[in-house]
Amino acid sequence: MTDAVVPSGSASQDIPPYAQGLNAPQREAVLTTEGPVLMLAGAGTGKTAALTARLAHLVATRRAWPSEILCVTFTNKAAREMRERVGRHIGQAVEGMPWLGTFHSIGAKMLRRHAELVGLQSNYTIIDTDDQLRLLKAMIVEAGLDEKRWPARQLAGLIDRWKNRGLNPQDLDAVENEAYANGKGQAFYARYQERLKALNACDFGDLLLHMLNVFRQHREVLESYQQRFKYILVDEYQDTNQVQYLWLRLLAQERKNICVVGDDDQSIYSWRGAEVANILKFEKDFPGAAVIKLEQNYRSTPHILAAASGLINANSERLGKTLWTEIPAGEKVRVIGVWDGPEEARRIGEEIERLEREGAGLDQVAILVRAQYQTREFEDRFIQIGLNYRIIGGFRFYERAEIRDALAYLRVIAQPADDLAFERIYNQPKRGLGAKTLEQMHRHARATGLPLAAASLQLADTDELPARARGTIAGLMGQFLRWREMAETTGPAELLRAVLDESGYEAMLRAEKSAEAAGRLENLGELARAMEDYDTLQDFLEHVALVMDNDRADDGEKVTIMTIHAAKGLEFDHLFLPGWEEGVFPSQRALDEGGLASLEEERRLAYVAITRARRRCTIVHAANRRIYGQWTSSIPSRFVGELPADHVAEETTLTGGASLWRAQMSEHDDPFAHVARVQPSRTLTRGPGWQRAVATGYDSSPARVKENTRSAASFAARPRTDIAVGQRVFHDKFGYGEVVDQEGNKLEIEFEQAGRKRVIDSFVRAA
């Protein structure tokens, strides 16, 4: 397969300029214009070049006017890039392409034309998340519900999920209805839609759902668009959700000239509604579709590609392709085993400094983590050694909202006169102390020359504030007094955990029951872990101040730190992938919530991670992690064991490594069931890693090792005594079911509507 090969029936001199730089499969994807086409494009295979060339070809050959082509992307950035690329091929004609844009922008344009069909006016407003939450909070209060028990953010997440699935209020089944306020989900969803119409407004989910309803209920409107769009092109098809899929399928049914571009192996966004099944069933939806595989990779070395391909082959739900490249072999993928999390950060820091000495630019070095909390260890280490870094796709660890809130509590404990910190958290979580109360507190502070906290306490002894506000302030100041006393005898980490518990901050996040809230709780757990290394609260706060003062200028090269999800579409010469241990990656939370489907998505995420590397890829796993103040031993991720040995170079001071995982895996037929059976314990040898741990002050005495490296099995949560096999239970998401198996705090339940699921016992109640 080379660029010199041309599709059958074409002469090389007949290849148009926009297709001459493409290889044979890419050109085939460009020139196969009629009928449904699935462009199955592997990582780094030039799918954007092929897609834009196809778009240019349709216009240049006058198969369609620019206004007769629907081209859908997922981001505004992708739409701009495509418009610029096509413009280089066809010039000003690209300006006549009104239907090139994101799903939401195109949906909004259509809805403006047909707003009256869904009870809106054409000048409707699109509300943002803040407006949506305010509206939902007002509805919850009106209904007499406790907003802390049933947060508006939870309801907003459910409504967004329902809209992504193309569900109107009347479409919800009993299980979905039970997901909020004990069977009030449908009523709230319907009332919310009525409120939006009364405001002549819609949210982002409505932009496609409203048009899907119009297409279904007004055949003449659907037919007008089916006639208008002679060709449909869709980028990143593996990321489509149900409503996007249904919307596209209706538009394409008449002409069937739809070309979708995607990679089933890179479908990693199910948590926001994406369904990999959409691309897997494309040939069934459009019989006779041409499937064109782009398999020549222009990014990575053969060893990197072979490692990634060997890993993803373990997935069963995939269409299958074989990536190859003409790039020289390069280095094997390195898998490094280290003693613990701090050594992981030290080792990667040393590797990056070596690369820098060898002339590598820091802008071509990246660290990709599975969860945001993992960035903290690297940030602290890089500050210590003076290594410049940037956080992409999110805030730096100490700049995240929940971390700033926690630090504000600690600052007020350490320094009662810190008005900025007190103002941040006096009503966080919500205590009923609004802006008017804060204004009175500020006025009294200015009049008396007192710090804000002291002024608020004085106000609590007067009639200036309502009785409820006075009681709340007095209670809060009493908590701070107790925490200050506690700080004199308690370690900083234990103090933080007490503050998060007693203030209600942790309960606030748990009540949200969302992936974002779970991530914020993980971040707070990592903050507490970081504080265990400091003797006093003041020492820790001084350290944070130094970290926050890290060079904020954008000039100069910096190491990139980001999550794997945020890295999709990017590439780096030198890549480090830390935390490849069971429970971290794959994520235990994902496995508990989604079972085998989540395991396959986690593996796709690992595939995406490896294929971001151009020249070098280094995977690191640690034998020990400190979790909630306790050292727990770990085994390497199953993904390490699934890497083909011929393309991997193992470096470890620990016995076992990937070979240990492979040996344990061979004992079981069901890899998912293996999670419950394998005890994550390791035998450690006194190699260089041990010596380095001793040299850096780690207590490696046998007694301490025995205490700190207890098996993870011993830390398993105790099962509830009120739940047993055979019992009928209710789950907020899955509805009613019967417990069929119980292992520790994990239950296997046969649900009446959702089938068999594995869940944590704290998420169910006896029915």
Side-chain angles (χ1 to χ4, degrees):
M1 185 184 299
T2 66
D3 286 356
V5 178
V6 269
S8 177
S10 299
S12 60
Q13 62 268 25
D14 296 331
I15 299 176
Y18 45 78
Q20 287 181 357
L22 305 180
N23 62 36
Q26 288 173 325
R27 285 199 295 271
E28 182 183 358
V30 170
L31 302 178
T32 306
T33 58
E34 305 308 306
V37 175
L38 169 58
M39 198 189 306
L40 194 61
T45 57
K47 59 101 174 172
T48 303
L51 184 61
T52 52
R54 178 184 175 90
L55 189 55
H57 180 66
L58 294 174
V59 176
T61 58
R62 299 191 177 182
R63 283 173 168 78
W65 294 105
S67 61
E68 295 175 324
I69 300 173
L70 172 64
C71 183
V72 189
T73 67
F74 269 85
T75 66
N76 289 315
K77 179 182 177 182
R80 285 193 302 269
E81 181 182 356
M82 190 169 296
R83 190 176 293 276
E84 290 168 2
R85 288 196 183 199
V86 174
R88 288 196 289 269
H89 294 312
I90 64 176
Q92 292 184 348
V94 72
E95 300 302 324
M97 302 190 71
W99 303 104
L100 191 165
T102 65
F103 277 101
H104 284 140
S105 67
I106 292 172
K109 184 175 294 186
M110 289 181 174
L111 189 56
R112 295 283 178 200
R113 300 182 175 196
H114 309 286
E116 72 283 353
L117 297 179
V118 294
L120 297 173
Q121 300 173 30
S122 60
N123 63 341
Y124 64 81
T125 300
I126 303 173
I127 65 171
D128 59 20
T129 301
D130 288 341
D131 290 335
Q132 181 188 34
L133 290 176
R134 280 200 298 270
L135 178 56
L136 291 174
K137 284 180 181 178
M139 291 169 48
I140 293 168
V141 171
E142 289 173 9
L145 292 182
D146 180 2
E147 206 268 332
K148 293 181 179 179
R149 173 70 180 87
W150 302 104
R153 195 173 297 276
Q154 179 191 357
L155 180 56
L158 286 170
I159 290 175
D160 184 60
R161 189 181 78 191
W162 292 331
K163 291 184 178 182
N164 286 340
R165 293 169 56 194
L167 299 177
N168 296 288
Q170 64 272 19
D171 300 324
L172 300 188
D173 59 23
V175 174
E176 296 291 352
N177 188 36
E178 288 286 343
Y180 187 79
N182 298 322
K184 296 183 174 67
Q186 185 179 52
F188 270 102
Y189 183 12
R191 198 174 311 145
Y192 171 67
Q193 293 300 94
E194 292 170 1
R195 291 286 181 89
L196 287 178
K197 288 182 181 180
L199 295 169
N200 192 34
C202 65
D203 60 27
F204 282 99
D206 286 324
L207 297 176
L208 287 182
L209 181 60
H210 278 328
M211 283 311 303
L212 180 63
N213 291 333
V214 169
F215 289 163
R216 286 169 165 172
Q217 298 166 14
H218 301 274
R219 185 71 189 179
E220 71 284 0
V221 176
L222 174 61
E223 290 175 350
S224 70
Y225 283 106
Q226 289 175 335
Q227 291 302 314
R228 173 189 295 272
F229 298 134
K230 292 184 177 179
Y231 296 93
I232 299 175
L233 289 79
V234 188
D235 194 13
E236 304 287 8
Y237 190 66
Q238 79 280 349
D239 293 335
T240 54
N241 59 34
Q242 184 71 0
V243 72
Q244 291 163 343
Y245 161 79
L246 294 171
W247 182 83
L248 285 167
R249 195 175 66 173
L250 283 174
L251 288 172
Q253 280 305 311
E254 181 66 24
R255 297 180 183 272
K256 295 184 172 55
N257 286 336
I258 180 172
C259 173
V260 302
V261 185
D263 183 3
D264 53 319
D265 292 334
Q266 296 188 70
S267 179
I268 58 174
Y269 297 118
S270 67
W271 47 275
R272 66 185 189 196
E275 296 191 15
V276 68
N278 293 345
I279 192 170
L280 296 176
K281 63 184 179 182
F282 183 81
E283 293 178 86
K284 180 179 179 181
D285 290 334
F286 297 95
V291 179
I292 302 171
K293 297 182 179 182
L294 305 189
E295 298 174 305
Q296 182 176 0
N297 179 281
Y298 296 95
R299 173 190 300 158
S300 306
T301 65
H303 280 309
I304 292 172
L305 290 182
S309 296
L311 172 66
I312 199 63
N313 281 339
N315 270 6
S316 59
E317 293 295 322
R318 60 189 299 262
L319 297 172
K321 57 190 167 303
T322 303
L323 297 185
W324 63 277
T325 183
E326 294 178 345
I327 299 173
E331 299 180 7
K332 290 184 177 182
V333 173
R334 297 166 69 205
V335 176
I336 300 177
V338 297
W339 173 261
D340 59 13
E343 184 183 348
E344 177 182 65
R346 288 194 300 272
R347 178 67 182 268
I348 290 178
E350 291 169 1
E351 294 280 338
I352 294 174
E353 288 180 314
R354 178 181 61 79
L355 289 172
E356 192 174 20
R357 288 193 299 270
E358 293 174 356
L362 292 184
D363 281 349
Q364 286 306 316
V365 180
I367 300 171
L368 305 186
V369 298
R370 172 61 182 88
Q372 288 186 341
Y373 72 86
Q374 291 175 261
T375 68
R376 202 277 311 168
E377 201 90 63
F378 296 102
E379 293 186 67
D380 282 1
R381 179 60 183 169
F382 292 174
I383 289 295
Q384 292 175 16
I385 65 177
L387 189 62
N388 290 336
Y389 70 90
R390 65 168 65 89
I391 301 292
I392 301 294
F395 295 106
R396 294 188 301 171
F397 183 81
Y398 292 108
E399 291 178 344
R400 293 175 179 130
E402 64 276 7
I403 302 301
R404 282 186 174 274
D405 288 343
L407 292 175
Y409 272 103
L410 298 174
R411 284 166 53 188
V412 175
I413 292 171
Q415 177 49 267
D418 192 334
D419 285 359
L420 292 176
F422 182 76
E423 185 173 344
R424 182 180 182 91
I425 51 82
Y426 82 100
N427 196 37
Q428 182 69 352
K430 301 299 183 186
R431 301 184 174 91
L433 303 176
K436 188 174 181 180
T437 300
L438 179 62
E439 181 183 347
Q440 291 177 278
M441 289 158 53
H442 271 299
R443 188 183 305 120
H444 187 63
R446 289 193 298 269
T448 59
L450 292 172
L452 198 59
S456 68
L457 187 57
Q458 280 195 359
L459 276 178
D461 285 334
T462 72
D463 293 326
E464 294 290 337
L465 298 175
R468 181 179 177 183
R470 296 199 303 270
T472 299
I473 291 173
L476 178 61
M477 299 312 296
Q479 285 183 313
F480 273 111
L481 179 61
R482 184 172 63 259
W483 292 331
R484 286 191 193 100
E485 294 173 348
M486 185 178 179
E488 296 176 0
T489 59
T490 303
E494 186 178 345
L495 173 65
L496 174 63
R497 294 185 184 108
V499 169
L500 294 175
D501 178 32
E502 296 172 14
S503 68
Y505 195 95
E506 194 173 66
M508 173 189 71
L509 292 180
R510 292 193 185 283
E512 287 186 18
K513 300 178 182 178
S514 66
E516 293 81 3
R520 289 194 280 269
L521 284 167
E522 287 179 345
N523 291 338
L524 290 171
E526 179 62 17
L527 177 65
R529 204 227 60 75
M531 295 177 71
E532 291 163 6
D533 297 330
Y534 296 85
D535 294 329
T536 69
L537 176 59
Q538 194 61 46
D539 288 343
F540 177 72
L541 291 176
E542 287 178 3
H543 164 74
V544 173
L546 293 175
V547 173
M548 296 290 282
D549 194 44
N550 181 35
D551 182 14
R552 296 172 182 273
D554 290 331
D555 56 334
E557 294 189 346
K558 298 181 179 182
V559 176
T560 297
I561 306 175
M562 63 198 310
T563 64
I564 303 171
H565 282 100
K568 187 169 178 290
L570 303 179
E571 54 188 55
F572 302 91
D573 283 346
H574 312 283
L575 194 65
F576 294 90
L577 305 176
W580 279 45
E581 302 122 35
E582 284 296 301
V584 178
F585 192 30
S587 160
Q588 190 61 50
R589 189 179 73 215
L591 297 184
D592 288 341
E593 293 177 356
L596 186 59
S598 288
L599 172 60
E600 296 219 340
E601 178 155 328
E602 290 286 294
R603 190 176 286 111
R604 292 194 293 270
L605 192 59
Y607 170 84
V608 167
I610 295 173
T611 55
R612 301 309 95 195
R614 284 195 288 251
R615 295 175 55 193
R616 293 187 181 94
C617 179
T618 302
I619 295 170
V620 186
H621 59 86
N624 302 279
R625 292 276 178 194
R626 190 154 51 179
I627 302 175
Y628 299 115
Q630 300 287 343
W631 284 96
T632 178
S633 58
S634 305
I635 56 174
S637 167
R638 68 188 68 200
F639 301 151
V640 171
E642 292 169 355
L643 297 171
D646 292 345
H647 302 282
V648 172
E650 283 197 70
E651 304 174 24
T652 180
T653 59
L654 314 170
T655 61
S659 58
L660 170 68
W661 176 256
R662 292 190 188 98
Q664 292 173 322
M665 283 289 286
S666 66
E667 300 174 6
H668 306 284
D669 296 327
D670 179 4
F672 179 62
H674 183 72
V675 147
R677 299 185 187 123
V678 175
Q679 300 301 328
S681 58
R682 305 279 312 273
T683 302
L684 307 176
T685 61
R686 288 179 179 257
W690 183 286
Q691 295 165 1
R692 183 156 47 249
V694 174
T696 53
Y698 188 88
D699 183 355
S700 58
S701 64
R704 186 57 180 262
V705 171
K706 182 177 180 180
E707 174 188 351
N708 286 346
T709 60
R710 296 162 60 192
S711 165
S714 66
F715 287 95
R718 295 178 179 176
R720 285 169 53 180
T721 58
D722 61 329
I723 298 292
V725 173
Q727 187 169 350
R728 181 175 167 82
V729 294
F730 180 80
H731 187 282
D732 285 342
K733 179 178 180 181
F734 302 123
Y736 291 98
E738 180 179 321
V739 179
V740 296
D741 194 14
Q742 182 176 21
E743 182 178 348
N745 68 331
K746 295 183 177 65
L747 303 176
E748 190 167 336
I749 301 175
E750 186 71 39
F751 289 101
E752 295 172 1
Q753 299 292 332
R756 185 164 296 197
K757 303 285 185 182
R758 282 168 56 89
V759 301
I760 301 296
D761 59 14
S762 60
F763 285 85
V764 303
R765 57 182 181 272

